[in-house]
Amino acid sequence: MDTLTIDLADPEYRFNPWPLYRRLREEAPVHRVPEGTWEGEDFYVLSRYDDVSMALRDKNRFSSQIRRDDMLNFPMLVNRDAPEHTRMRRMTNRSFNARLVGTLGDGVRKIIDDLVADMLTRDRVDFVEAFAEPLPLRVVGGMLGVPLDRKADLRRWSGAVMDAFAVAAGLDPAEVPGFLEDLIEFGNYMEELAAARRGKPNRGDILGELVVQQEAGDMTRTELTTLAWSFVAAGHETTMNLLSGGFRLLLTDPALAARLTADPDRTPDFAEEYLRVFSPIQWLLRRAKEDMVLHGVPVRTGTLVHVLLGSANRDPARFADPDVFDLDRANVMDHLAFGAGPHFCPGSALSRMQVDLAFRALYPHLGKFRLDPDAEPSLWARQGSYGFSSLPVLVRR
């Protein structure tokens, strides 16, 4: 049998990780990768559901602050522990609250209707470019006050945030050149937008809420910027990958498409099962806060740990026939695609709302779309993210 190895730069680990996940769960549920990061640091990989869930929830044994004394020590929610995380999460909840999300429905429907109508005027579209990417970008960009003519920049900035996570996980920065410059550019732009809002009435969007808290002295300008990074990454990546992958699944599974078209109220079940099977964010990061032994493997204090959401969500110990897409799966909500514990994704409600409205709008038109037989879909090469970067479809008008 081949030696069990993980190479963060290996395309196979990005595009088809499921066979490796299976081997990890069966052979090495706590797997050490010696000198696996670009800095030559060892890291460990947790692949079973119970271990992943434990690492996400146990704030006494695992830290979320991955970087401390370098350029990647961003004051972001995902890179902080309590009490700092508690304070920042409180600020996030004030800005990204249920009331605000609840007011977005009509605006999101308008964006969806416009995007669908535009696709139906064409003979061929890339579904990612025409729908899956612009929908969350317009929604999140609008909430941050970013004008539509900066959509391409927002896409690039969102990718830079994901690339920063990958470098923090151990990927060689040479694999993602320019990510730090893009982050700085995004930060400077958000500071310009925030400066233009200071001293003026709150418009009631996310940026307005952030500026109110910054003016009150509850957050620093740096925290305002990095929270904006968090909103863009959390509000864009998962939603985009779920929309594109879910649409492809509907086009390749007529029986599933027929069920959902006849009963659109099953859309939330469809979305949650997709999140489980094809987790758009494949892993999160932690550091051990104390020496411990897991499955007989010693893990030292300070060790970097990759927590594999995508593997946990296909663990047969938790999900029967885990590789099978089952719309009727009873325990689908046990999935960890949005994380768990104190760091559960704050953008999950907005993502779920967009996806639900989007697929309901697409069902009546599914018969007009088919995958382009002359153009293969492409997956993102971005480490830690799973989803389609291109999905060419033909449109029957």
Side-chain angles (χ1 to χ4, degrees):
M1 182 175 290
D2 294 337
T3 303
L4 189 57
T5 61
I6 292 176
D7 177 0
L8 294 179
D10 183 0
E12 188 70 11
Y13 186 49
R14 306 178 188 201
F15 299 146
N16 182 34
W18 327 119
L20 177 59
Y21 288 169
R22 186 180 304 112
R23 286 192 61 190
L24 287 168
R25 290 192 303 266
E26 294 174 355
E27 301 173 29
V30 182
H31 178 60
R32 174 175 167 262
V33 182
E35 300 182 0
T37 75
W38 66 281
E39 299 160 299
E41 179 185 2
D42 296 356
F43 67 85
Y44 289 77
V45 177
L46 303 184
S47 53
R48 291 182 181 174
Y49 183 95
D50 287 346
D51 297 323
V52 168
S53 179
M54 176 271 297
L56 294 176
R57 300 173 193 276
D58 191 341
K59 58 187 179 182
N60 294 317
R61 290 202 290 170
F62 291 90
S63 170
S64 295
Q65 186 161 357
I66 305 307
R67 313 294 296 208
R68 293 186 180 273
D69 300 314
D70 63 15
M71 65 180 182
L72 295 176
N73 184 27
F74 302 126
M76 301 175 72
L77 277 170
V78 295
N79 189 44
R80 287 295 183 267
D81 296 323
E84 193 174 3
H85 172 267
T86 305
R87 182 180 65 84
M88 294 180 70
R89 185 64 183 241
R90 188 179 303 116
M91 293 189 296
T92 300
N93 291 342
R94 287 178 193 161
S95 307
F96 205 46
N97 55 51
R99 175 188 58 78
L100 177 59
V101 173
T103 65
L104 296 174
D106 289 343
V108 172
R109 288 188 185 90
K110 177 65 167 60
I111 295 171
I112 291 170
D113 290 344
D114 289 346
L115 293 174
V116 171
D118 181 64
M119 286 195 297
L120 293 175
T121 66
R122 307 196 222 170
D123 297 319
R124 182 183 185 276
V125 298
D126 181 336
F127 183 79
V128 177
E129 181 181 318
F131 190 91
E133 190 171 58
L135 173 57
L137 279 179
R138 288 192 189 183
V139 172
V140 177
M143 296 168 76
L144 287 171
V146 179
L148 275 178
D149 62 5
R150 300 302 296 265
K151 183 180 72 172
D153 291 323
L154 195 58
R155 180 193 307 127
R156 176 166 52 86
W157 294 331
S158 175
V161 176
M162 298 305 298
D163 289 340
F165 293 153
V167 173
L171 184 69
D172 188 338
E175 294 280 331
V176 286
F179 82 94
L180 191 58
E181 291 80 2
D182 286 341
L183 283 180
I184 293 170
E185 180 186 341
F186 182 28
N188 291 338
Y189 180 68
M190 289 310 304
E191 171 56 27
E192 291 175 15
L193 292 182
R197 295 281 195 99
R198 294 187 184 109
K200 297 180 180 178
N202 183 2
R203 299 180 193 174
D205 57 8
I206 284 182
L207 181 59
E209 296 292 337
L210 291 174
V211 169
V212 166
Q213 293 181 66
Q214 195 264 315
E215 288 185 311
D218 294 333
M219 77 168 63
T220 66
R221 294 189 180 190
T222 300
E223 287 171 341
L224 185 152
T225 298
T226 53
L227 281 174
W229 290 346
S230 301
F231 289 133
V232 169
H236 170 225
E237 195 79 17
T238 294
T239 306
M240 174 183 65
N241 290 340
L242 175 49
L243 287 169
S244 57
F247 190 66
R248 181 179 182 275
L249 187 58
L250 292 173
L251 295 185
T252 56
D253 190 337
L256 177 63
R259 280 190 69 183
L260 289 165
T261 301
D263 188 4
D265 288 343
R266 296 299 306 276
T267 302
D269 299 325
F270 170 61
E272 300 302 332
E273 179 68 347
Y274 187 90
L275 287 167
R276 185 193 68 81
V277 179
F278 302 104
S279 307
I281 303 299
Q282 285 290 301
W283 41 253
L284 297 174
L285 303 172
R286 295 292 185 268
R287 282 198 185 272
K289 293 177 70 173
E290 61 182 42
D291 291 345
M292 65 187 85
V293 177
L294 300 173
H295 298 283
V297 178
V299 179
R300 301 187 314 276
T301 302
T303 301
L304 181 65
V305 180
H306 286 214
V307 182
L308 300 186
L309 307 180
S311 176
N313 286 336
R314 291 194 182 208
D315 188 344
R318 190 71 177 194
F319 303 101
D321 298 319
D323 297 327
V324 174
F325 190 98
D326 182 1
L327 187 64
D328 301 310
R329 188 174 299 277
N331 68 335
V332 66
M333 294 304 292
D334 290 348
H335 75 75
L336 301 171
F338 285 119
H343 285 265
F344 184 81
C345 178
S348 59
L350 178 61
S351 179
R352 284 167 165 148
M353 183 262 282
Q354 291 179 77
V355 168
D356 184 63
L357 294 176
F359 283 122
R360 287 173 185 265
L362 288 165
Y363 294 147
H365 306 289
L366 286 179
K368 299 175 183 177
F369 296 98
R370 66 185 179 94
L371 295 177
D372 186 341
D374 298 321
E376 285 291 320
S378 300
L379 289 167
W380 290 109
R382 188 173 297 131
Q383 181 57 260
S385 174
Y386 185 86
F388 290 92
S389 60
S390 176
L391 186 66
V393 296
L394 301 179
V395 187
R396 178 175 57 80
R397 289 190 280 169

